Amino acid sequence: MEELPLELRAFRAIQKQLPDGSIQPIFEINNEINLILKVRVKQAVQAGEPVTLDKIHPEECFIDPPIYDEQPAAYFLCQTFLLDYLILFDCRANQLGLSQEEIEELKKATLNYPILEYAENQEFIDVVKPKEKLQTLISSNWVPAPGCCRHAALYIHEHQTIDDSSFLEVVNQAYSDDFWQKRIAFWQETNFFQHRLQYIERAINAHLEKDYICSIYVLVPQFEGIVKDYLGLAE
């Protein structure tokens, strides 16, 4: 990344609606983003006093929408979380014919922001320095992947080197039942893979039960099928 002129850690695309109904695009990157969060505190906080995680309810942290000329603006926010991304957006402000009551409602903070996960990621980056650990992964012929990045970087931080036999188990533990259940829930919500999802889920469950032969025989045909489905839709 040192060779690049810019490391893109976050960006926010804003669509400010002008009085004539046209849209003025505004693009913010990295520190240009003025992200305003609203949280519920556990105790009274004085003006100017630092707000730490122990003083708030982190599960009740919400993003304030950008406001221009006292009007809410549509926006799309993307932030990096290690090798993963956080994507949040709210484009309702650009709907036509909104009443003043609806506009006032859109000014309220409604989208939940994972402040605890963000703080944990920042601490992890400061202490473990995962970018440096990725170089060890690459030099040891292990391909970095979002699912196991945190576990792998922490292992290298603690052991300095990679022992293939023990490191393989670390990678395997990263792809736990909790990891796959979140992916399956996302695929169900987005209607990915459609009728193939039931077989992909069976293959994952077989893998978690260490029935690797069953897992492979069920999963491999789905790769070919997904490609065929895509090509059929693209025709």
Side-chain angles (χ1 to χ4, degrees):
M1 299 294 292
E2 289 73 18
E3 292 77 29
L4 294 176
L6 172 70
E7 179 183 356
L8 187 60
R9 302 184 306 277
F11 72 85
R12 183 168 66 170
I14 297 173
Q15 290 188 318
K16 175 186 175 183
Q17 194 166 40
L18 301 178
D20 63 1
S22 61
I23 298 296
Q24 176 186 346
I26 301 171
F27 196 79
E28 304 168 333
I29 60 174
N30 296 344
N31 295 334
E32 295 175 352
I33 301 173
N34 183 25
L35 198 63
I36 300 175
L37 304 175
K38 287 185 177 178
V39 297
R40 185 165 70 91
V41 296
K42 299 178 180 177
Q43 59 192 57
V45 179
Q46 302 300 320
E49 178 184 349
V51 179
T52 54
L53 287 174
D54 62 310
K55 297 178 181 179
I56 68 171
H57 295 275
E59 70 279 2
E60 296 187 45
C61 177
F62 302 93
I63 299 178
D64 251 357
I67 304 293
Y68 292 90
D69 302 323
E70 300 184 356
Q71 298 296 313
Y75 69 94
F76 180 97
L77 172 69
C78 178
Q79 284 184 304
T80 56
F81 272 47
L82 291 181
L83 292 185
D84 210 343
Y85 297 91
L86 169 69
I87 295 176
L88 295 168
F89 58 90
D90 189 346
C91 299
R92 294 174 299 164
N94 284 352
Q95 295 181 80
L96 297 175
L98 292 174
S99 66
Q100 189 58 41
E101 182 179 356
E102 290 171 322
I103 291 174
E104 292 302 319
E105 193 66 26
L106 289 177
K107 292 181 182 179
K108 298 178 182 179
T110 54
L111 288 183
N112 189 276
Y113 186 82
I115 187 67
L116 184 60
E117 184 180 352
Y118 176 82
E120 290 174 345
N121 271 312
Q122 291 304 117
E123 182 181 15
F124 186 83
I125 290 170
D126 293 340
V127 174
V128 178
K129 297 179 172 52
K131 287 184 181 179
E132 297 177 5
K133 305 307 184 288
L134 290 181
Q135 296 303 316
T136 303
L137 276 174
I138 294 169
S139 62
S140 301
N141 294 320
W142 282 89
V143 179
C148 67
C149 174
R150 177 182 290 273
H151 298 73
L154 184 60
Y155 175 93
I156 299 171
H157 177 71
E158 294 173 346
H159 297 82
Q160 304 305 316
T161 58
I162 290 179
D163 173 73
D164 285 339
S165 58
S166 58
F167 186 70
L168 180 61
E169 185 57 29
V170 170
V171 174
N172 189 48
Q173 289 174 358
Y175 295 100
S176 62
D177 180 67
D178 181 62
F179 173 88
W180 286 116
Q181 290 307 319
K182 289 180 180 178
R183 268 65 188 171
I184 291 171
F186 174 73
W187 295 333
Q188 288 173 334
E189 181 180 351
T190 54
N191 201 27
F192 277 9
F193 314 129
Q194 298 180 0
H195 59 281
R196 297 188 182 277
L197 183 55
Q198 60 178 313
Y199 302 108
I200 294 173
E201 187 171 2
R202 288 182 192 177
I204 291 171
N205 290 333
H207 172 79
L208 293 173
E209 295 169 2
K210 299 187 183 301
D211 189 352
Y212 302 120
I213 294 176
C214 177
S215 178
I216 290 296
Y217 274 90
V218 173
L219 186 60
V220 169
Q222 305 314 314
F223 293 134
E224 179 183 357
I226 289 169
V227 173
K228 285 184 176 180
D229 291 344
Y230 173 79
L231 293 176
L233 291 172
E235 289 181 349

